[in-house]
Amino acid sequence: MLKVDFGRTEIKGSEPHILTEFTMLARNLRELLAEDESTECADMKIAKAIELSKKTEDELDEEISKSISILGRMMGSVSKGKSAKTKESSDVEPSTGNSAFDDFLKDIFGGGAK
């Protein structure tokens, strides 16, 4: 049995049972992520999550600091490059005007600059 609730994790059962449940969880997560994007994108996100799971707390803190730094630079470049003629359509997904920043937001929040 696998049970996770915001940092509280409970794992019970035999190794084969636990690994089977983990495989089923990963498969279902992949399908869920691929609904809005490609399976390749879903695979990259899952691979990133597994990569992060192998890091120490200090390494995770460093990853967070790097992400915050990238976010700050992207926000700075967006505010500098903002055009007064930007017009949004209600049919178009909201955008910051910077595709790299939009991708970054989508990776973090799963829905872009909404």
Side-chain angles (χ1 to χ4, degrees):
M1 178 213 35
L2 302 177
K3 184 177 180 180
V4 180
D5 185 25
F6 291 101
R8 220 180 114 244
T9 306
E10 188 178 343
I11 302 173
K12 290 182 182 176
S14 66
E15 183 178 319
H17 182 86
I18 292 166
L19 291 173
T20 299
E21 285 192 343
F22 179 77
T23 301
M24 292 169 57
L25 172 67
R27 178 184 295 142
N28 290 326
L29 177 61
R30 182 176 189 252
E31 289 174 7
L32 178 72
L33 293 173
E35 284 178 6
D36 294 329
E37 301 176 34
S38 67
T39 54
E40 292 81 13
C41 186
D43 290 343
M44 288 184 345
K45 288 180 178 182
I46 292 170
K48 179 68 173 179
I50 290 173
E51 176 188 326
L52 291 173
S53 75
K54 298 174 185 178
K55 295 188 181 253
T56 65
E57 292 295 323
D58 289 339
E59 291 170 326
L60 288 173
D61 288 344
E62 187 177 322
E63 283 281 332
I64 291 169
S65 294
K66 281 195 283 188
S67 294
I68 290 171
S69 177
I70 290 168
L71 178 61
R73 285 194 304 272
M74 288 178 166
M75 289 178 76
S77 70
V78 167
S79 65
K80 288 178 187 174
K82 206 169 196 178
S83 168
K85 293 184 178 182
T86 303
K87 183 179 178 181
E88 288 190 30
S89 167
S90 59
D91 296 340
V92 178
E93 185 172 297
S95 171
T96 62
N98 179 318
S99 62
F101 187 54
D102 288 343
D103 291 344
F104 180 79
L105 290 174
K106 194 169 190 176
D107 285 344
I108 291 177
F109 300 111
K114 292 182 180 177

